[in-house]
Coordinates of all heavy atoms in Angstrom, one line a residue:
M742 N -76.2 -42.8 -40.6 CA -75.9 -43.5 -39.4 C -75.5 -44.9 -39.7 O -76.1 -45.6 -40.5 CB -77.2 -43.4 -38.5 CG -77.0 -44.1 -37.2 SD -78.5 -43.8 -36.1 CE -78.0 -44.7 -34.7
Y743 N -74.5 -45.4 -39.0 CA -74.1 -46.8 -39.1 C -75.2 -47.7 -38.6 O -75.9 -47.4 -37.7 CB -72.9 -47.1 -38.3 CG -71.6 -46.4 -38.7 CD1 -71.0 -45.4 -38.0 CD2 -71.0 -46.7 -39.9 CE1 -69.9 -44.8 -38.4 CE2 -69.9 -46.1 -40.4 CZ -69.3 -45.1 -39.6 OH -68.1 -44.5 -40.0
E744 N -75.2 -48.9 -39.3 CA -76.2 -49.9 -38.8 C -75.7 -50.6 -37.5 O -76.4 -50.8 -36.6 CB -76.4 -50.9 -39.9 CG -77.7 -51.8 -39.6 CD -78.0 -52.6 -40.9 OE1 -78.1 -52.0 -42.0 OE2 -78.2 -53.8 -40.7
H745 N -74.3 -50.8 -37.5 CA -73.7 -51.4 -36.3 C -72.5 -50.5 -35.9 O -71.9 -49.8 -36.7 CB -73.1 -52.8 -36.6 CG -74.2 -53.8 -36.9 ND1 -74.7 -54.0 -38.1 CD2 -74.8 -54.7 -36.1 CE1 -75.6 -54.9 -38.1 NE2 -75.7 -55.4 -36.8
C746 N -72.2 -50.5 -34.6 CA -71.1 -49.8 -34.0 C -69.8 -50.3 -34.6 O -69.6 -51.6 -34.6 CB -71.1 -49.9 -32.5 SG -69.6 -49.1 -31.8
P747 N -68.9 -49.5 -35.2 CA -67.7 -50.0 -35.8 C -66.7 -50.6 -34.8 O -65.8 -51.3 -35.1 CB -67.1 -48.7 -36.4 CG -67.9 -47.6 -36.0 CD -69.1 -48.1 -35.3
H748 N -66.9 -50.3 -33.5 CA -66.0 -50.8 -32.5 C -66.5 -52.1 -31.8 O -65.8 -53.1 -31.8 CB -65.8 -49.8 -31.4 CG -65.1 -48.6 -31.9 ND1 -63.7 -48.5 -32.2 CD2 -65.6 -47.3 -32.2 CE1 -63.4 -47.3 -32.6 NE2 -64.5 -46.6 -32.6
C749 N -67.8 -52.1 -31.4 CA -68.2 -53.3 -30.6 C -69.3 -54.0 -31.3 O -69.9 -55.0 -30.8 CB -68.7 -52.8 -29.2 SG -70.2 -51.8 -29.3
N750 N -69.7 -53.6 -32.6 CA -70.6 -54.3 -33.4 C -72.1 -54.2 -32.8 O -72.9 -55.0 -33.1 CB -70.2 -55.7 -33.7 CG -70.8 -56.2 -35.0 OD1 -71.1 -55.4 -35.9 ND2 -71.1 -57.5 -35.1
F751 N -72.3 -53.3 -31.9 CA -73.7 -53.1 -31.3 C -74.6 -52.7 -32.4 O -74.3 -51.8 -33.2 CB -73.6 -52.1 -30.2 CG -75.0 -51.7 -29.7 CD1 -75.6 -52.6 -28.8 CD2 -75.6 -50.5 -30.0 CE1 -76.8 -52.2 -28.2 CE2 -76.8 -50.2 -29.5 CZ -77.4 -51.0 -28.6
R752 N -75.8 -53.3 -32.5 CA -76.8 -52.9 -33.5 C -77.6 -51.8 -33.0 O -78.3 -51.9 -32.0 CB -77.7 -54.1 -33.9 CG -78.6 -53.9 -35.0 CD -79.3 -55.2 -35.5 NE -80.1 -54.9 -36.7 CZ -81.4 -54.7 -36.7 NH1 -82.0 -54.7 -35.5 NH2 -82.0 -54.5 -37.8
Y753 N -77.6 -50.6 -33.6 CA -78.2 -49.4 -33.1 C -79.7 -49.5 -33.1 O -80.4 -49.2 -32.1 CB -77.8 -48.2 -33.9 CG -76.3 -47.8 -33.7 CD1 -75.5 -47.8 -34.7 CD2 -75.9 -47.5 -32.4 CE1 -74.1 -47.4 -34.5 CE2 -74.6 -47.1 -32.2 CZ -73.7 -47.1 -33.3 OH -72.4 -46.8 -33.1
E754 N -80.3 -50.0 -34.2 CA -81.7 -50.1 -34.3 C -82.1 -51.4 -33.7 O -82.2 -52.5 -34.4 CB -82.2 -50.0 -35.8 CG -83.7 -49.8 -35.8 CD -84.2 -49.4 -37.2 OE1 -83.5 -49.4 -38.1 OE2 -85.4 -49.0 -37.2
I755 N -82.4 -51.4 -32.4 CA -82.6 -52.6 -31.6 C -83.8 -53.4 -32.1 O -83.8 -54.6 -32.1 CB -82.8 -52.2 -30.1 CG1 -81.5 -51.6 -29.6 CG2 -83.2 -53.4 -29.3 CD1 -81.6 -50.8 -28.3
E756 N -84.9 -52.7 -32.5 CA -86.1 -53.3 -33.1 C -86.6 -52.4 -34.2 O -86.3 -51.2 -34.2 CB -87.1 -53.6 -32.0 CG -87.6 -52.3 -31.4 CD -88.5 -52.5 -30.2 OE1 -88.4 -53.6 -29.6 OE2 -89.2 -51.6 -29.8
P757 N -87.4 -53.0 -35.1 CA -87.9 -52.1 -36.2 C -88.7 -50.9 -35.7 O -89.5 -51.1 -34.7 CB -88.9 -53.0 -37.0 CG -88.4 -54.4 -36.7 CD -87.9 -54.4 -35.3
G758 N -88.4 -49.7 -36.2 CA -89.1 -48.5 -35.7 C -88.6 -48.0 -34.4 O -89.3 -47.2 -33.7
Y759 N -87.4 -48.5 -34.0 CA -86.9 -48.1 -32.6 C -86.8 -46.6 -32.5 O -87.0 -46.1 -31.4 CB -85.6 -48.8 -32.4 CG -85.0 -48.5 -31.1 CD1 -85.5 -48.9 -29.9 CD2 -83.9 -47.6 -31.1 CE1 -84.9 -48.6 -28.7 CE2 -83.3 -47.2 -29.9 CZ -83.9 -47.7 -28.7 OH -83.3 -47.3 -27.5
F760 N -86.4 -46.0 -33.6 CA -86.0 -44.5 -33.5 C -87.3 -43.6 -33.6 O -87.1 -42.4 -33.7 CB -85.0 -44.2 -34.5 CG -83.6 -44.6 -34.0 CD1 -83.0 -45.7 -34.7 CD2 -83.0 -44.1 -32.9 CE1 -81.7 -46.1 -34.3 CE2 -81.8 -44.6 -32.5 CZ -81.1 -45.6 -33.2
W761 N -88.5 -44.2 -33.6 CA -89.6 -43.3 -33.6 C -89.7 -42.5 -32.4 O -90.1 -41.3 -32.4 CB -90.9 -44.2 -33.7 CG -91.3 -44.5 -35.1 CD1 -90.7 -45.4 -35.9 CD2 -92.5 -44.0 -35.7 NE1 -91.4 -45.4 -37.1 CE2 -92.5 -44.6 -37.0 CE3 -93.5 -43.1 -35.4 CZ2 -93.5 -44.3 -38.0 CZ3 -94.5 -42.9 -36.3 CH2 -94.5 -43.4 -37.6
G762 N -89.2 -43.0 -31.3 CA -89.2 -42.3 -30.0 C -88.3 -41.1 -30.1 O -88.5 -40.1 -29.4
A763 N -87.2 -41.2 -30.9 CA -86.3 -40.1 -31.0 C -87.0 -38.8 -31.6 O -86.6 -37.7 -31.4 CB -85.1 -40.4 -31.9
M764 N -88.1 -39.1 -32.3 CA -88.9 -38.0 -32.9 C -89.4 -37.1 -31.8 O -89.5 -35.9 -32.0 CB -90.1 -38.7 -33.7 CG -90.8 -37.8 -34.6 SD -92.0 -38.8 -35.6 CE -93.0 -39.5 -34.4
F765 N -89.8 -37.7 -30.7 CA -90.3 -36.9 -29.6 C -89.2 -36.1 -28.9 O -89.4 -35.0 -28.4 CB -91.1 -37.8 -28.6 CG -92.2 -38.5 -29.2 CD1 -92.2 -39.8 -29.5 CD2 -93.4 -37.8 -29.5 CE1 -93.2 -40.5 -30.1 CE2 -94.5 -38.4 -30.1 CZ -94.4 -39.8 -30.4
V766 N -88.0 -36.7 -28.8 CA -86.9 -36.0 -28.3 C -86.6 -34.8 -29.2 O -86.3 -33.7 -28.7 CB -85.7 -36.9 -28.2 CG1 -84.4 -36.2 -27.7 CG2 -86.0 -38.1 -27.2
S767 N -86.6 -35.1 -30.5 CA -86.4 -34.0 -31.5 C -87.4 -32.9 -31.3 O -87.0 -31.7 -31.4 CB -86.5 -34.6 -32.9 OG -86.4 -33.6 -33.8
Y768 N -88.6 -33.2 -31.1 CA -89.7 -32.2 -30.9 C -89.4 -31.4 -29.7 O -89.5 -30.1 -29.7 CB -91.0 -32.9 -30.8 CG -92.1 -31.9 -30.4 CD1 -92.7 -31.0 -31.3 CD2 -92.6 -31.9 -29.1 CE1 -93.6 -30.2 -31.0 CE2 -93.6 -31.0 -28.7 CZ -94.1 -30.2 -29.7 OH -95.1 -29.3 -29.3
A769 N -89.0 -32.0 -28.6 CA -88.7 -31.3 -27.3 C -87.5 -30.4 -27.5 O -87.5 -29.2 -27.1 CB -88.4 -32.3 -26.2
L770 N -86.4 -30.8 -28.3 CA -85.3 -30.0 -28.5 C -85.7 -28.8 -29.3 O -85.3 -27.7 -29.0 CB -84.2 -30.8 -29.3 CG -83.4 -31.8 -28.5 CD1 -82.5 -32.6 -29.4 CD2 -82.6 -31.2 -27.3
S771 N -86.5 -29.0 -30.4 CA -86.9 -27.9 -31.2 C -87.7 -26.9 -30.4 O -87.6 -25.7 -30.6 CB -87.7 -28.4 -32.4 OG -87.0 -29.2 -33.2
A772 N -88.6 -27.4 -29.6 CA -89.5 -26.5 -28.8 C -88.6 -25.7 -27.8 O -88.8 -24.5 -27.6 CB -90.5 -27.3 -28.0
G773 N -87.6 -26.4 -27.2 CA -86.7 -25.7 -26.3 C -85.9 -24.6 -27.0 O -85.8 -23.4 -26.5
I774 N -85.4 -24.9 -28.3 CA -84.7 -23.9 -29.0 C -85.6 -22.7 -29.4 O -85.2 -21.5 -29.3 CB -84.1 -24.5 -30.3 CG1 -83.0 -25.5 -29.9 CG2 -83.5 -23.4 -31.3 CD1 -82.5 -26.4 -31.1
A775 N -86.8 -23.0 -29.8 CA -87.7 -21.9 -30.2 C -88.1 -21.1 -29.0 O -88.1 -19.8 -29.1 CB -89.0 -22.6 -30.8
L776 N -88.2 -21.7 -27.8 CA -88.6 -21.0 -26.6 C -87.4 -20.1 -26.2 O -87.6 -18.9 -25.9 CB -88.8 -22.0 -25.5 CG -89.6 -21.5 -24.3 CD1 -91.0 -21.1 -24.8 CD2 -89.7 -22.6 -23.2
V777 N -86.2 -20.6 -26.2 CA -85.0 -19.7 -25.9 C -84.9 -18.6 -26.8 O -84.7 -17.4 -26.4 CB -83.7 -20.6 -25.9 CG1 -82.5 -19.8 -25.8 CG2 -83.8 -21.6 -24.7
M778 N -85.0 -18.9 -28.2 CA -84.9 -17.8 -29.1 C -86.0 -16.8 -28.9 O -85.8 -15.5 -29.1 CB -84.9 -18.3 -30.6 CG -83.6 -18.9 -31.0 SD -82.2 -17.7 -30.8 CE -82.7 -16.4 -31.8
G779 N -87.2 -17.2 -28.6 CA -88.3 -16.3 -28.3 C -88.0 -15.4 -27.1 O -88.2 -14.2 -27.2
F780 N -87.4 -16.0 -26.1 CA -87.0 -15.1 -24.9 C -85.9 -14.1 -25.3 O -85.9 -13.0 -24.9 CB -86.5 -16.0 -23.8 CG -87.7 -16.5 -22.9 CD1 -88.0 -17.9 -22.9 CD2 -88.4 -15.7 -22.1 CE1 -89.0 -18.4 -22.2 CE2 -89.5 -16.2 -21.4 CZ -89.8 -17.5 -21.4
V781 N -85.0 -14.6 -26.1 CA -83.9 -13.7 -26.6 C -84.4 -12.5 -27.4 O -84.1 -11.4 -27.2 CB -82.8 -14.5 -27.4 CG1 -81.9 -13.6 -28.2 CG2 -82.1 -15.5 -26.5
L782 N -85.4 -12.8 -28.3 CA -86.0 -11.8 -29.1 C -86.8 -10.8 -28.2 O -86.8 -9.6 -28.4 CB -86.8 -12.3 -30.2 CG -86.1 -13.0 -31.3 CD1 -87.0 -13.7 -32.3 CD2 -85.2 -12.0 -32.1
F783 N -87.5 -11.4 -27.3 CA -88.4 -10.6 -26.4 C -87.7 -9.7 -25.5 O -87.9 -8.5 -25.5 CB -89.3 -11.5 -25.6 CG -90.4 -10.8 -24.9 CD1 -91.6 -10.5 -25.5 CD2 -90.2 -10.4 -23.5 CE1 -92.6 -9.8 -24.8 CE2 -91.2 -9.7 -22.8 CZ -92.4 -9.4 -23.4
Y784 N -86.7 -10.2 -24.8 CA -86.0 -9.4 -23.8 C -84.7 -8.7 -24.4 O -84.4 -7.6 -24.0 CB -85.5 -10.3 -22.7 CG -86.7 -10.8 -21.8 CD1 -87.1 -12.1 -21.8 CD2 -87.4 -9.8 -21.0 CE1 -88.2 -12.5 -21.1 CE2 -88.5 -10.2 -20.3 CZ -88.9 -11.6 -20.3 OH -90.0 -12.0 -19.5
G785 N -84.1 -9.3 -25.4 CA -82.9 -8.8 -26.0 C -83.2 -7.7 -27.1 O -82.4 -6.8 -27.3
F786 N -84.3 -7.9 -27.8 CA -84.6 -7.0 -28.9 C -85.9 -6.2 -28.7 O -86.5 -5.7 -29.6 CB -84.6 -7.7 -30.2 CG -83.3 -8.3 -30.6 CD1 -82.9 -9.5 -30.2 CD2 -82.3 -7.5 -31.3 CE1 -81.6 -10.1 -30.5 CE2 -81.1 -8.0 -31.6 CZ -80.7 -9.3 -31.2
G787 N -86.4 -6.2 -27.4 CA -87.5 -5.3 -27.1 C -88.8 -5.7 -27.7 O -89.6 -4.9 -28.2
D788 N -89.1 -7.0 -27.7 CA -90.4 -7.6 -28.2 C -90.8 -7.0 -29.6 O -91.6 -6.2 -29.8 CB -91.6 -7.3 -27.3 CG -92.8 -8.0 -27.6 OD1 -92.7 -9.0 -28.4 OD2 -93.9 -7.6 -27.1
P789 N -90.0 -7.5 -30.7 CA -90.4 -7.1 -32.0 C -91.7 -7.6 -32.5 O -92.4 -8.4 -31.7 CB -89.2 -7.7 -32.9 CG -88.8 -8.9 -32.1 CD -89.0 -8.5 -30.6
E790 N -92.1 -7.2 -33.7 CA -93.4 -7.7 -34.2 C -93.4 -9.2 -34.4 O -92.4 -9.8 -34.5 CB -93.8 -7.0 -35.5 CG -94.1 -5.5 -35.3 CD -94.5 -4.9 -36.6 OE1 -95.3 -5.5 -37.3 OE2 -94.1 -3.8 -36.9
G791 N -94.6 -9.8 -34.5 CA -94.7 -11.3 -34.6 C -94.0 -11.9 -35.7 O -93.4 -13.0 -35.6
W792 N -94.0 -11.2 -36.9 CA -93.3 -11.8 -38.1 C -91.8 -11.9 -37.9 O -91.2 -12.8 -38.5 CB -93.6 -11.0 -39.3 CG -93.2 -9.6 -39.3 CD1 -93.9 -8.5 -38.9 CD2 -91.9 -9.1 -39.7 NE1 -93.1 -7.4 -39.0 CE2 -91.9 -7.7 -39.5 CE3 -90.7 -9.7 -40.2 CZ2 -90.7 -6.9 -39.8 CZ3 -89.6 -8.9 -40.5 CH2 -89.6 -7.6 -40.3
V793 N -91.2 -11.1 -37.0 CA -89.8 -11.2 -36.8 C -89.5 -12.5 -36.1 O -88.5 -13.2 -36.4 CB -89.3 -10.0 -35.9 CG1 -87.8 -10.1 -35.6 CG2 -89.5 -8.7 -36.7
Y794 N -90.4 -12.9 -35.1 CA -90.2 -14.2 -34.5 C -90.2 -15.3 -35.5 O -89.3 -16.2 -35.4 CB -91.3 -14.4 -33.4 CG -91.2 -13.5 -32.2 CD1 -91.9 -12.3 -32.2 CD2 -90.5 -13.9 -31.1 CE1 -91.9 -11.5 -31.0 CE2 -90.5 -13.2 -30.0 CZ -91.1 -11.9 -29.9 OH -91.1 -11.2 -28.8
V795 N -91.1 -15.3 -36.4 CA -91.2 -16.3 -37.4 C -90.0 -16.3 -38.3 O -89.4 -17.4 -38.6 CB -92.5 -16.2 -38.2 CG1 -92.6 -17.2 -39.4 CG2 -93.7 -16.3 -37.3
I796 N -89.6 -15.1 -38.8 CA -88.4 -15.0 -39.7 C -87.2 -15.5 -39.0 O -86.3 -16.0 -39.7 CB -88.3 -13.5 -40.2 CG1 -89.5 -13.1 -41.0 CG2 -87.0 -13.3 -40.9 CD1 -89.6 -13.9 -42.3
V797 N -87.0 -15.3 -37.8 CA -85.8 -15.7 -37.1 C -85.8 -17.2 -36.6 O -84.9 -18.0 -36.9 CB -85.5 -14.8 -35.8 CG1 -84.4 -15.4 -35.0 CG2 -85.2 -13.4 -36.3
I798 N -86.9 -17.6 -36.0 CA -87.0 -18.9 -35.4 C -87.2 -20.1 -36.4 O -86.5 -21.1 -36.3 CB -88.1 -19.0 -34.3 CG1 -87.7 -18.0 -33.2 CG2 -88.3 -20.4 -33.8 CD1 -88.8 -17.8 -32.1
A799 N -88.1 -19.9 -37.4 CA -88.4 -21.0 -38.3 C -87.1 -21.4 -39.1 O -86.8 -22.6 -39.2 CB -89.5 -20.6 -39.2
P800 N -86.4 -20.4 -39.8 CA -85.2 -20.9 -40.5 C -84.1 -21.5 -39.6 O -83.4 -22.4 -40.0 CB -84.6 -19.6 -41.1 CG -85.8 -18.6 -41.1 CD -86.6 -19.0 -39.9
L801 N -84.0 -20.9 -38.3 CA -83.0 -21.5 -37.4 C -83.3 -23.0 -37.1 O -82.4 -23.8 -37.1 CB -83.1 -20.7 -36.1 CG -82.1 -21.2 -35.0 CD1 -80.7 -20.9 -35.4 CD2 -82.4 -20.6 -33.7
L802 N -84.6 -23.3 -36.9 CA -85.0 -24.7 -36.7 C -84.7 -25.6 -37.9 O -84.3 -26.7 -37.7 CB -86.4 -24.8 -36.2 CG -86.8 -24.2 -34.9 CD1 -88.2 -24.3 -34.6 CD2 -86.0 -24.8 -33.8
V803 N -85.0 -25.0 -39.1 CA -84.7 -25.8 -40.3 C -83.2 -26.0 -40.4 O -82.8 -27.1 -40.8 CB -85.3 -25.1 -41.5 CG1 -84.8 -25.7 -42.8 CG2 -86.8 -25.0 -41.5
L804 N -82.4 -25.0 -40.2 CA -80.9 -25.1 -40.3 C -80.4 -26.1 -39.3 O -79.4 -26.8 -39.5 CB -80.2 -23.8 -40.1 CG -80.4 -22.8 -41.3 CD1 -79.8 -21.5 -40.9 CD2 -79.7 -23.4 -42.5
L805 N -81.0 -26.2 -38.1 CA -80.5 -27.1 -37.1 C -81.0 -28.5 -37.2 O -80.7 -29.4 -36.4 CB -80.8 -26.5 -35.7 CG -80.1 -25.2 -35.3 CD1 -80.6 -24.7 -34.0 CD2 -78.6 -25.5 -35.2
T806 N -81.9 -28.8 -38.2 CA -82.5 -30.1 -38.3 C -81.5 -31.2 -38.4 O -81.7 -32.2 -37.7 CB -83.5 -30.1 -39.5 OG1 -84.5 -29.2 -39.2 CG2 -84.1 -31.5 -39.7
P807 N -80.4 -31.1 -39.2 CA -79.5 -32.3 -39.3 C -78.8 -32.5 -37.9 O -78.6 -33.7 -37.6 CB -78.4 -31.8 -40.3 CG -79.1 -30.7 -41.1 CD -80.1 -30.1 -40.2
I808 N -78.5 -31.5 -37.2 CA -77.9 -31.7 -35.9 C -78.9 -32.2 -34.9 O -78.6 -33.2 -34.1 CB -77.3 -30.3 -35.4 CG1 -76.2 -29.8 -36.3 CG2 -76.8 -30.4 -33.9 CD1 -75.8 -28.4 -36.1
N809 N -80.1 -31.7 -34.9 CA -81.2 -32.1 -34.0 C -81.5 -33.6 -34.2 O -81.7 -34.3 -33.3 CB -82.4 -31.2 -34.3 CG -83.4 -31.3 -33.2 OD1 -83.4 -32.2 -32.4 ND2 -84.4 -30.4 -33.3
F810 N -81.5 -34.0 -35.5 CA -81.8 -35.4 -35.9 C -80.8 -36.3 -35.2 O -81.2 -37.3 -34.6 CB -81.7 -35.5 -37.4 CG -81.9 -36.8 -38.0 CD1 -83.1 -37.5 -38.0 CD2 -80.7 -37.5 -38.4 CE1 -83.2 -38.7 -38.6 CE2 -80.8 -38.8 -39.0 CZ -82.1 -39.4 -39.0
R811 N -79.6 -36.0 -35.3 CA -78.5 -36.9 -34.7 C -78.5 -36.9 -33.2 O -78.4 -37.9 -32.6 CB -77.2 -36.5 -35.3 CG -77.0 -36.9 -36.7 CD -75.9 -36.3 -37.5 NE -75.8 -36.8 -38.8 CZ -76.5 -36.4 -39.8 NH1 -77.4 -35.4 -39.7 NH2 -76.3 -36.9 -41.0
I812 N -78.6 -35.7 -32.6 CA -78.6 -35.6 -31.2 C -79.8 -36.3 -30.6 O -79.6 -37.0 -29.5 CB -78.5 -34.1 -30.8 CG1 -77.2 -33.5 -31.1 CG2 -78.8 -33.9 -29.3 CD1 -77.1 -32.0 -30.8
S813 N -80.9 -36.2 -31.2 CA -82.1 -36.9 -30.7 C -81.9 -38.4 -30.7 O -82.3 -39.0 -29.7 CB -83.3 -36.6 -31.6 OG -83.5 -35.2 -31.7
R814 N -81.3 -38.9 -31.7 CA -81.1 -40.4 -31.8 C -80.1 -40.8 -30.7 O -80.3 -41.8 -30.0 CB -80.6 -40.8 -33.1 CG -81.7 -40.8 -34.1 CD -81.2 -41.3 -35.5 NE -82.4 -41.7 -36.3 CZ -82.4 -42.7 -37.1 NH1 -81.3 -43.4 -37.3 NH2 -83.5 -42.9 -37.8
V815 N -79.1 -40.0 -30.5 CA -78.1 -40.3 -29.5 C -78.7 -40.3 -28.1 O -78.5 -41.2 -27.3 CB -76.9 -39.4 -29.6 CG1 -76.0 -39.5 -28.3 CG2 -76.1 -39.7 -30.8
L816 N -79.5 -39.2 -27.8 CA -80.2 -39.1 -26.5 C -81.1 -40.3 -26.3 O -81.2 -40.8 -25.2 CB -80.9 -37.8 -26.4 CG -80.0 -36.5 -26.3 CD1 -80.9 -35.3 -26.4 CD2 -79.2 -36.6 -25.0
W817 N -81.9 -40.6 -27.3 CA -82.8 -41.7 -27.2 C -82.1 -43.0 -26.9 O -82.5 -43.8 -26.0 CB -83.6 -41.9 -28.6 CG -84.7 -42.9 -28.5 CD1 -84.7 -44.1 -29.2 CD2 -85.9 -42.8 -27.8 NE1 -85.8 -44.8 -28.9 CE2 -86.6 -44.0 -28.1 CE3 -86.5 -41.9 -27.0 CZ2 -87.9 -44.3 -27.6 CZ3 -87.8 -42.1 -26.5 CH2 -88.4 -43.3 -26.8
L818 N -81.0 -43.3 -27.6 CA -80.2 -44.5 -27.3 C -79.7 -44.5 -25.9 O -79.8 -45.6 -25.2 CB -79.0 -44.6 -28.3 CG -79.1 -45.3 -29.6 CD1 -77.9 -45.2 -30.4 CD2 -79.5 -46.8 -29.3
H819 N -79.2 -43.4 -25.4 CA -78.6 -43.4 -24.1 C -79.6 -43.5 -23.0 O -79.4 -44.2 -22.0 CB -77.7 -42.1 -23.9 CG -76.4 -42.3 -24.5 ND1 -75.3 -42.9 -23.9 CD2 -75.9 -42.0 -25.8 CE1 -74.2 -42.9 -24.7 NE2 -74.6 -42.4 -25.8
F820 N -80.7 -42.7 -23.1 CA -81.6 -42.6 -22.0 C -82.7 -43.6 -22.0 O -83.3 -43.9 -21.0 CB -82.2 -41.2 -21.9 CG -81.2 -40.2 -21.5 CD1 -80.7 -39.2 -22.4 CD2 -80.6 -40.2 -20.2 CE1 -79.8 -38.3 -22.0 CE2 -79.6 -39.3 -19.9 CZ -79.2 -38.4 -20.8
V821 N -83.0 -44.2 -23.1 CA -84.1 -45.2 -23.2 C -83.6 -46.6 -23.3 O -84.1 -47.5 -22.6 CB -85.1 -44.9 -24.4 CG1 -86.1 -45.9 -24.5 CG2 -85.7 -43.5 -24.1
S822 N -82.6 -46.9 -24.1 CA -82.2 -48.3 -24.3 C -81.1 -48.7 -23.2 O -80.7 -49.8 -23.2 CB -81.7 -48.5 -25.7 OG -80.4 -47.8 -25.8
G823 N -80.6 -47.7 -22.5 CA -79.6 -48.1 -21.4 C -78.2 -48.3 -22.0 O -77.4 -48.8 -21.3
V824 N -78.0 -47.8 -23.2 CA -76.7 -47.9 -23.8 C -75.8 -46.9 -23.1 O -76.1 -45.8 -23.0 CB -76.7 -47.7 -25.3 CG1 -75.3 -47.6 -25.9 CG2 -77.5 -48.7 -26.0
R825 N -74.6 -47.4 -22.6 CA -73.7 -46.5 -21.9 C -72.4 -46.3 -22.8 O -71.9 -47.3 -23.4 CB -73.3 -47.1 -20.5 CG -74.5 -47.2 -19.6 CD -74.9 -45.8 -19.1 NE -76.1 -45.9 -18.4 CZ -77.3 -45.4 -18.8 NH1 -77.3 -44.8 -20.0 NH2 -78.4 -45.5 -18.2
Y826 N -71.9 -45.1 -22.8 CA -70.7 -44.8 -23.5 C -69.5 -45.4 -22.8 O -69.3 -45.1 -21.7 CB -70.6 -43.3 -23.7 CG -69.3 -42.9 -24.4 CD1 -69.1 -43.3 -25.7 CD2 -68.3 -42.2 -23.8 CE1 -68.0 -42.9 -26.4 CE2 -67.2 -41.8 -24.4 CZ -67.0 -42.2 -25.8 OH -65.9 -41.8 -26.4
N827 N -68.8 -46.2 -23.6 CA -67.6 -46.8 -23.0 C -66.5 -46.7 -24.1 O -66.4 -47.6 -25.0 CB -67.8 -48.3 -22.6 CG -66.6 -48.9 -21.9 OD1 -65.5 -48.2 -21.8 ND2 -66.8 -50.1 -21.4
P828 N -65.6 -45.7 -24.0 CA -64.6 -45.6 -25.0 C -63.5 -46.7 -25.0 O -62.8 -46.8 -26.0 CB -63.9 -44.2 -24.6 CG -64.2 -44.1 -23.2 CD -65.5 -44.8 -22.9
N829 N -63.5 -47.6 -24.0 CA -62.5 -48.6 -24.0 C -62.9 -49.9 -24.8 O -62.1 -50.8 -24.9 CB -62.2 -49.0 -22.5 CG -61.7 -47.8 -21.8 OD1 -60.8 -47.0 -22.3 ND2 -62.1 -47.6 -20.6
L830 N -64.1 -49.9 -25.3 CA -64.6 -51.1 -26.0 C -64.0 -51.0 -27.4 O -63.9 -50.0 -28.0 CB -66.1 -51.2 -26.0 CG -66.7 -51.8 -24.8 CD1 -68.2 -51.7 -24.9 CD2 -66.3 -53.2 -24.5
Ligands
ZN918 ZN1 -69.8 -49.7 -29.7

């Protein structure tokens, strides 16, 4: 992640440890993904055994970690710090 915005020079990490809050956003996203996959397995595949849930959901969450990490920071910036996207800057 850039330290400053390449267009408007906005400093992303407003204060030290600013992105700790993004950790909670990341947790919520992961829980949501796990919940949706649990419903898909339950209703779509007729409630398989417990280990199937683990084999499907755990690797999926690990694979999505890089995306989840970035999306969480972007969501944190937009909804907590009040940063608004302005493509004209
Ligand atoms: Zn900018």
Side-chain angles (χ1 to χ4, degrees):
M742 182 173 177
Y743 292 113
E744 197 169 307
H745 292 87
C746 176
H748 295 285
C749 65
N750 206 30
F751 174 78
R752 186 170 187 262
Y753 291 120
E754 192 167 12
I755 295 165
E756 60 191 20
Y759 177 72
F760 285 111
W761 272 70
M764 195 171 58
F765 300 105
V766 177
S767 171
Y768 173 74
L770 287 176
S771 296
I774 291 167
L776 201 64
V777 167
M778 279 310 297
F780 277 111
V781 166
L782 288 172
F783 187 86
Y784 291 108
F786 295 91
D788 192 18
E790 290 187 43
W792 62 268
V793 176
Y794 289 92
V795 175
I796 293 295
V797 171
I798 293 172
L801 178 72
L802 291 178
V803 171
L804 286 173
L805 290 175
T806 297
I808 297 166
N809 193 348
F810 173 76
R811 286 165 177 81
I812 289 175
S813 301
R814 284 182 164 217
V815 169
L816 289 174
W817 185 252
L818 268 176
H819 279 273
F820 290 113
V821 175
S822 71
V824 172
R825 297 285 169 255
Y826 177 65
N827 184 354
N829 299 320
L830 281 177

